[in-house]
Amino acid sequence: MHTQLWNSILSQVSRSIDAHRFETWFRPLSLLESDDPEVISVAAPNQFIADFLDQHYKPILVTTAKQLNFRLKDIVFTVGEGSNTPADVEPEIKEEPKKVAEPKSSTKTTSYSYPQLNKRYSLETFVVGPNNEFARSAALAVAEAPGKTKFNPLLIYGGVGLGKTHLLQSIGNYLVSNSPNTTVTYISSEEFYLNFIDAIKNNSTKTFTSKFRSSDVLLMDDIQFFAGKESTQEEFFYIFNTLYQNGKQIVLTSDLPPSSLRGLQDRLISRFQWGLAVDIQPPDLETRVAILKKRAEEDNLDITQDILYFIAEHVSSNIRELEGVVIRLLAFASITRSDITLELVKTVLKDSLKKEKRRVTINDIIEAVGNYYKVPVNNIREKNRRKEVAFSRQVAMYISKSITNNSLKTIGLNFGGRDHSTVIHAVSQIENLIKTDETVSRDVSYIINTLNE
Ligand code: ADP
Ligand code: MG
């Protein structure tokens, strides 16, 4: 059996494709007995996956085997269960050599594994939109002239799954191809922290940190993770200073702008602000479509334009989720052995669609308020001055202001063409009542809750 070879191939592959994809295509595979020593036989859970691997991944797998100095004629994919357990490979190779505590006097033999760049994260595959173009330009400027721009450090910040890691690693990959003499180090703050703690235990912090001090470019991901970790921050502070003083480039990412990072020492935060902080915003619809298109192309997926739009319209929170949908589509198509149709997309998206909040309109609000206070909706909309009607109208205006994005002007127009000062008055009336009158406060929250359901 080629168990060892197969596992080596898998771990190699897991480095060059993203974790999602690895989980979809490679995790479910198991190795089969093969009569020919130069042929690897692998079982896939269904025909779709077998075909897909055969068409798209076979050449990579065979090349990888060659790189591992193994002569391989072929890899055969069949449907079924292998005799052995499924591939037991971590998608991101994090495994460190076991470190044995050394006596102080011994020479340092501890070796650290530093993470590698993922080749998939390149500037070419990074889709540019209004949400990220500034960050991308800054990243490119830094990649072209590390340490020589004013952007030192460059800090890229933004929410989860918006492309920070992708952009950060793109800088590294750009340098690896365009100026191979530049020493680039990429690490996430978490890995840095974990390794640093080990290094302290083993009395080998110098060995561990020397790689960082001697880098031309240091790419440090998710620095918010350093929050509250004093000695790690201390060490990082010295590394930062050394690099900065020697004109080396530092690029950082975080989930918040530097001024909002909690639990980090002030001296670090002030250093983060020496250079440039750029944000990445959630992508707009067009950018989401462009990203999906690129993903579909990468996977040779046939998805029509209107389906791409449908997905992009309904999944807007972050790009990782958007990609997750494409992967789920693949999986579904494989189980049902069907084409990717709008129907299939709707099934796949069912859960996400339910979660995505339906946008509440002013009309919904007027209806809900009318129902609750038993006042006809037309009376709320029009110029009826009866007291309970006027009150319901004010509540409806207040809720419209609170939970929709409509301007005061638009809200006024929806209530029989009243002007914005009337809306302001209504809003402040109800605000006061909510503070002083428990019934009003309870009623209003009740109505808002029903609207959000
Ligand atoms: P973050 O680090 O901000 O949480 P990632 O960089 O891990 O986000 O991005 C999540 C996924 O979305 C990755 O697979 C990445 O390749 C993809 N992605 C993000 N932004 C873009 C973009 N502008 N173009 C193409 N793919 C993107
Ligand atoms: Mg990230």
Side-chain angles (χ1 to χ4, degrees):
M1 289 271 278
H2 301 303
T3 316
Q4 210 170 2
L5 171 69
W6 178 238
N7 284 339
S8 309
I9 294 179
L10 285 182
S11 71
Q12 203 71 24
V13 167
S14 75
R15 271 180 253 208
S16 53
I17 66 175
D18 64 45
H20 251 329
R21 211 163 280 175
F22 187 82
E23 291 298 321
T24 311
W25 301 117
F26 293 95
R27 181 73 73 188
L29 302 181
S30 48
L31 200 58
L32 296 169
E33 294 283 352
S34 163
D35 303 332
D36 188 335
E38 293 187 11
V39 173
I40 287 184
S41 183
V42 176
N46 58 50
Q47 194 62 43
F48 182 83
I49 291 191
D51 291 347
F52 192 91
L53 287 165
D54 193 60
Q55 283 163 26
H56 300 291
Y57 282 110
K58 195 168 177 158
I60 304 175
L61 295 173
V62 174
T63 316
T64 307
K66 285 204 183 106
Q67 283 164 357
L68 293 167
N69 288 323
F70 193 87
R71 277 186 29 194
L72 195 65
K73 272 196 310 223
D74 201 6
I75 296 188
V76 182
F77 299 98
T78 48
V79 182
E81 299 249 316
S83 50
N84 65 333
T85 48
D88 185 20
V89 174
E90 286 301 308
E92 306 258 315
I93 309 302
K94 278 207 193 111
E95 93 199 11
E96 299 161 41
K98 269 259 178 303
K99 281 161 223 119
V100 192
E102 319 160 45
K104 265 190 188 148
S105 57
S106 79
T107 44
K108 302 288 177 292
T109 47
T110 320
S111 70
Y112 289 94
S113 66
Y114 301 91
Q116 295 181 340
L117 292 166
N118 182 336
K119 293 212 180 66
R120 199 179 73 78
Y121 293 137
S122 69
L123 287 168
E124 287 78 43
T125 56
F126 190 78
V127 175
V128 192
N131 61 311
N132 61 24
E133 62 187 336
F134 190 35
R136 186 197 178 271
S137 309
L140 180 62
V142 160
E144 283 173 339
K148 305 213 163 49
T149 65
K150 290 211 183 80
F151 314 152
N152 202 16
L154 172 63
L155 173 69
I156 302 166
Y157 66 91
V160 177
L162 296 182
K164 301 182 296 295
T165 298
H166 188 138
L167 207 48
L168 186 69
Q169 293 215 10
S170 297
I171 298 175
N173 281 317
Y174 182 96
L175 286 162
V176 168
S177 353
N178 293 291
S179 52
N181 292 329
T182 310
T183 323
V184 180
T185 309
Y186 166 84
I187 197 162
S188 74
S189 303
E190 186 172 6
E191 283 164 312
F192 182 90
Y193 164 77
L194 293 172
N195 280 298
F196 182 63
I197 296 299
D198 269 342
I200 294 178
K201 271 192 249 145
N202 299 331
N203 256 308
S204 59
T205 53
K206 277 237 164 61
T207 323
F208 170 65
T209 58
S210 64
K211 182 165 162 70
F212 300 97
R213 290 176 207 276
S214 60
S215 299
D216 296 315
V217 177
L218 174 61
L219 309 171
M220 178 81 81
D221 213 351
D222 291 320
I223 48 163
Q224 72 275 0
F225 188 82
F226 281 163
K229 307 192 167 62
E230 294 299 327
S231 52
T232 315
Q233 286 186 39
E234 184 100 346
E235 189 60 44
F236 180 63
F237 178 74
Y238 293 122
I239 294 173
F240 186 104
N241 287 345
T242 309
L243 293 177
Y244 190 84
Q245 276 154 18
N246 294 322
K248 308 298 188 187
Q249 180 72 48
I250 302 152
V251 189
L252 312 163
T253 72
S254 72
D255 61 351
L256 289 172
S259 55
S260 312
L261 286 169
R262 298 278 163 265
L264 289 179
Q265 296 167 4
D266 288 343
R267 57 183 188 171
L268 271 180
I269 291 186
S270 84
R271 270 164 181 74
F272 295 164
Q273 289 163 328
W274 283 353
L276 176 73
V278 284
D279 65 337
I280 300 187
Q281 292 289 329
D284 60 12
L285 178 65
E286 297 303 319
T287 311
R288 295 201 299 278
V289 172
I291 290 171
L292 274 178
K293 227 181 193 157
K294 193 144 211 161
R295 268 344 271 263
E297 275 163 20
E298 273 180 43
D299 275 330
N300 279 316
L301 258 189
D302 233 347
I303 309 187
T304 59
Q305 187 82 357
D306 46 322
I307 291 181
L308 288 182
Y309 264 94
F310 184 86
I311 301 173
E313 258 168 17
H314 289 91
V315 183
S316 56
S317 45
N318 79 54
I319 298 166
R320 201 169 291 143
E321 197 162 313
L322 210 55
E323 294 182 329
V325 172
V326 174
I327 309 259
R328 258 185 288 156
L329 270 180
L330 280 171
F332 256 74
S334 81
I335 295 163
T336 55
R337 310 258 316 121
S338 55
D339 291 334
I340 294 175
T341 60
L342 201 54
E343 278 318 298
L344 179 65
V345 175
K346 283 182 183 158
T347 320
V348 170
L349 283 180
K350 207 158 71 202
D351 293 335
S352 333
L353 289 182
K354 249 189 266 156
K355 262 185 260 149
E356 194 105 342
K357 268 203 197 110
R358 195 179 61 93
R359 222 166 258 144
V360 177
T361 64
I362 297 180
N363 271 337
D364 299 334
I365 295 171
I366 293 176
E367 228 164 80
V369 171
N371 268 339
Y372 189 81
Y373 289 115
K374 307 274 178 285
V375 173
V377 288
N378 282 342
N379 286 354
I380 296 181
R381 280 206 194 88
E382 274 128 40
K383 311 216 169 184
N384 183 312
R385 289 179 180 276
R386 274 206 347 260
K387 205 171 156 217
E388 71 274 17
V389 177
F391 173 74
S392 314
R393 184 181 302 127
Q394 288 186 327
V395 169
M397 285 179 172
Y398 167 83
I399 296 178
S400 301
K401 180 75 188 83
S402 311
I403 69 169
T404 75
N405 287 327
N406 291 295
S407 66
L408 294 170
K409 191 167 172 207
T410 310
I411 295 174
L413 286 175
N414 276 275
F415 291 86
R418 288 169 166 83
D419 74 17
H420 74 279
S421 61
T422 312
V423 183
I424 293 177
H425 176 70
V427 170
S428 75
Q429 280 295 90
I430 301 299
E431 263 169 6
N432 286 336
L433 278 175
I434 286 176
K435 279 186 214 133
T436 53
D437 187 330
E438 238 174 70
T439 321
V440 175
S441 150
R442 204 191 44 226
D443 291 352
V444 171
S445 347
Y446 179 83
I447 298 170
I448 293 180
N449 280 341
T450 53
L451 281 162
N452 281 334
E453 258 161 25

